[in-house]
Every structure is written in C-alpha cells, then in structure tokens.
Amino acid sequence: MNKLLFLLFALFFCSVSVANDDKQQDAVAAQPGQLMLADPFILEHDGWYYIYGTESANGIVVYRSRDLKTWSSLCGNAKENLAMHKDDVWGSRYFWAPEVYKRGDKFIMTYSAHAHICCAESDSPCGPFTQKEQRPYLPEEGGIDASIFVDDDGKAYMFWVRFGEGNLIWVAEMSDDLMTVKKETARKLIECEEGTWEKQMGNVAEGPFVLKHKGKYYLTYSCNDYRCQDYAVGFAVADNPMGPYKRYDKNPVLRRHCGYAGTGHHAIFRVGKRYYMVYHAHKSHTVVEPRQTLIAPIKIRRDKDGGKGAYRIEVSEKIIVPKIVK
C-alpha cells in the first residue's frame, strides 16, 4: 500500500472510531424532562429537598422534591417563579453558583453576580431572597463560587474563588450573621498544580465545598475549564478550617463518572446517615450546554494506604438522574 492510500485509510479509520465513540458516549446524554442545572446545591428543610443552580439570566431558580428523583417545576416566590430575582439584589446578570443555609429563622443565599460574591436573605427556602443593602460581600474585588462552612462551635468560614493567575481557592472567617467576610483573615488554599489532573485545560480551581468528618476538614473542589471533558472533583484534608490542606494522592475522585463528561462543581448534603454529592455534567460528550444535574451517594471510608486516621471519599456508580414532573 502506498503512503497516500495508507494515510487516507488511517484518517478514515480514525474518523469512524471517533464517531463510534461519540455515539457510545452520547448514549448517556440528557433526555427530555431531566433537570438541567449547572453548579447545583441541595438544601433539606421540613421534609423537602430544595435544589438551586445556575440556569436563569434573571436570577436564581429553585425546584423542590420529596425523594431526590422527581422535582417540581419552578417553585420560587420571587418574580418569574425564581427564588431570587435581579430586581431585588445587586447585579443584573451572570447569576451563578448559589448555596442556601438556614441561620436562625432566616435563609441565607450566597451567589455570584457580575463575577462578585454576594448574599441575600429570605424567610422561606423558596424566597424571595432580597438584600437590604444591595452590594457584594467584597465590592472592591472580583470573585465567584462562595461556600459557607459553619463549624461545631458556631464559627463560620467562607470558601470562595479569587482571581489571580487563574482561579484560586481562598478562605476567610465570617461574622456570626454571615453578612460580612473578615478580609484580613483571608488565606489562599488551592491553586492548580502543574503536570497533574488539575491542569488539563486552563488554570482553574473552583467550586469549593467543606465537609467535617472525624475531626478533619475535607475541602472538595473542581479543576479545569468547565468546558473540558476532564472537569473533575478532588479533595484535600486539614486539621483546621483555615488549612493548610493536603491533597488526596489519588485525586480526582469524580471524573467522567458513569459515562458522563465534565463532571464537577458539586455540593455535598446529608440524608439521615448517608451522604450525597450533587454535581453537573455536560449534556453530552459533544455538547456542554445546558449542563445536566446528577446525584450520587458517597461514602467516606478508611484509606488503608493513607496511614492511621486517613479517609477517602468514594462516589457510588448508582447515580440518581433527577427529572422534572410538572
């Protein structure tokens, strides 16, 4: 076979292989009726699960469920059935990555708008979430992906993404009412490591979330550009919420999970004694938007290879694919 024929044959073979791979991979693509939220977060309150995420150009959406499998249509109390509408808060677009926490008789929502971190309050998990003073947490600087962790002693900490040479994860102490970030306490925790899974596309570490287990603090986070098929989740462990955090040496723990691509930007929640991770994935291996919402049980197990007192996070393959039932 001459070189030209060999080259043509090789190109044809590769194109067929790629096409077949795409068909196989896209077999797990989203189907009609499935929940399509990026940056999802789930709050449990009074027997209901409320899910918030990046979807609307005009604010933050909320859906609710009794069983994590079937979800209502939009159930927000703000305009357009949103949980939070742009008319009630600072910012007019780019509403991303909400999280909601019960604090006393109030619900506090953190979110990103115009690449600034913000918060709003409501009397209900369905909103309307509003701001008495319409301003970001840190007006003088950009940031995204705020996540609040309240320790057993009641002390609160914010983990969020600051912009530098890429996206970097930072932590700072907060006021008791969660309305103020104590910027003077801020400390950098995670930036992408060269030559690892963290830096396959871009210089991006984002979506932080902290879980406490057996006296240790587990910081879970996502790395790579969200459009990357290898957008994934890893974790690091510390003895103190402020760090320093040591990365798990077998990261990532969530990558191309159950045939989906771009599995990342997650949150962890508890149902009884069981933990779950809610996260988003690409609509398919060839289509990023809209991103699909998935839920997987997780376990925190002893890590025999990690030494005494070491634990690892395991993500189950028995995933839940949430659907909207109107």
Side-chain angles (χ1 to χ4, degrees), residues 24-42:
Q24 292 173 356
Q25 292 168 338
D26 285 351
V28 296
Q31 302 298 316
Q34 291 181 8
L35 188 60
M36 307 298 286
L37 286 180
D39 314 327
F41 179 87
I42 290 178

Side-chain angles (χ1 to χ4, degrees), residues 33 39 42 57 95 100 141 150 189 194 200 211-212 278 295:
D39 314 327
I42 290 178
F95 295 100
V100 176
E141 66 172 67
V150 180
L189 298 178
E194 292 282 355
Q200 300 299 309
L211 171 72
K212 188 175 184 179
V278 58
I295 301 171

Side-chain angles (χ1 to χ4, degrees), residues 287-304:
V287 180
V288 173
E289 301 285 3
R291 281 161 282 173
Q292 181 172 2
T293 309
L294 301 168
I295 301 171
I298 66 169
K299 290 184 178 180
I300 305 174
R301 294 186 180 275
R302 289 191 179 276
D303 184 12
K304 295 180 181 179

Side-chain angles (χ1 to χ4, degrees), residues 134-153:
Q134 294 191 1
R135 64 188 292 275
Y137 271 119
L138 303 172
E140 68 282 1
E141 66 172 67
I144 57 173
D145 294 357
S147 181
I148 295 175
F149 169 76
V150 180
D151 209 346
D152 298 333
D153 61 2

Side-chain angles (χ1 to χ4, degrees), residues 42-274:
I42 290 178
L43 168 75
E44 188 277 328
H45 178 67
D46 282 349
W48 286 96
Y49 300 101
Y50 297 87
I51 191 167
Y52 309 83
T54 301
E55 182 188 73
S56 173
N58 291 329
I60 298 298
V61 299
V62 60
Y63 301 82
R64 70 178 185 172
S65 170
R66 288 287 194 185
D67 61 7
L68 298 177
K69 299 175 182 178
T70 57
W71 295 78
S72 70
S73 55
L74 292 174
C75 63
N77 292 329
K79 296 176 184 176
E80 302 176 31
N81 298 122
L82 298 175
M84 186 194 75
H85 193 276
K86 64 182 182 181
D87 290 351
D88 300 322
V89 295
W90 183 90
S92 60
R93 56 180 178 171
Y94 306 142
F95 295 100
W96 302 335
E99 294 195 3
V100 176
Y101 325 94
K102 183 77 161 54
R103 194 70 165 168
D105 60 352
K106 294 288 186 179
F107 294 88
I108 309 295
M109 175 187 286
T110 59
Y111 66 95
S112 305
H114 284 287
H116 282 72
I117 54 170
C118 307
C119 72
E121 287 184 295
S122 176
D123 294 326
S124 164
C126 290
F129 285 87
T130 63
Q131 288 180 314
K132 295 177 182 177
E133 181 183 357
Q134 294 191 1
R135 64 188 292 275
Y137 271 119
L138 303 172
E140 68 282 1
E141 66 172 67
I144 57 173
D145 294 357
S147 181
I148 295 175
F149 169 76
V150 180
D151 209 346
D152 298 333
D153 61 2
K155 195 169 184 178
Y157 304 83
M158 175 170 284
F159 297 79
W160 83 102
V161 172
R162 254 176 163 173
F163 304 133
E165 294 183 5
N167 289 8
L168 316 174
I169 295 173
W170 285 67
V171 64
E173 296 178 10
M174 299 192 74
S175 59
D176 290 341
D177 62 2
L178 309 185
M179 292 292 106
T180 304
V181 178
K182 298 179 181 180
K183 190 175 177 181
E184 68 277 7
T185 69
R187 178 182 298 178
K188 183 170 66 175
L189 298 178
I190 298 286
E191 57 183 315
C192 292
E193 288 190 335
E194 292 282 355
T196 71
W197 70 276
E198 297 179 352
K199 208 165 183 181
Q200 300 299 309
M201 182 178 177
N203 189 25
V204 179
E206 62 184 19
F209 188 91
V210 169
L211 171 72
K212 188 175 184 179
H213 180 75
K214 303 284 188 181
K216 300 284 187 179
Y217 300 85
Y218 290 74
L219 169 59
T220 54
Y221 60 96
S222 298
C223 281
N224 295 307
D225 189 294
Y226 78 93
R227 294 165 294 186
C228 179
Q229 290 196 16
D230 289 317
Y231 189 59
V233 175
F235 75 90
V237 185
D239 295 322
N240 185 290
M242 296 290 288
Y245 284 83
K246 181 181 179 181
R247 289 168 168 85
Y248 179 54
D249 61 5
K250 297 181 182 66
N251 278 335
V253 295
L254 181 77
R255 174 186 174 273
R256 300 200 186 200
H257 194 58
C258 295
Y260 291 88
T263 51
H265 199 120
H266 64 292
I268 296 171
F269 63 100
R270 191 169 181 171
V271 178
K273 294 183 178 180
R274 301 188 70 183

Side-chain angles (χ1 to χ4, degrees), residues 9-30:
F9 176 79
L11 289 172
F12 173 77
F13 178 79
C14 288
S15 64
V16 170
S17 297
V18 170
N20 287 337
D21 286 346
D22 284 344
K23 287 180 181 178
Q24 292 173 356
Q25 292 168 338
D26 285 351
V28 296

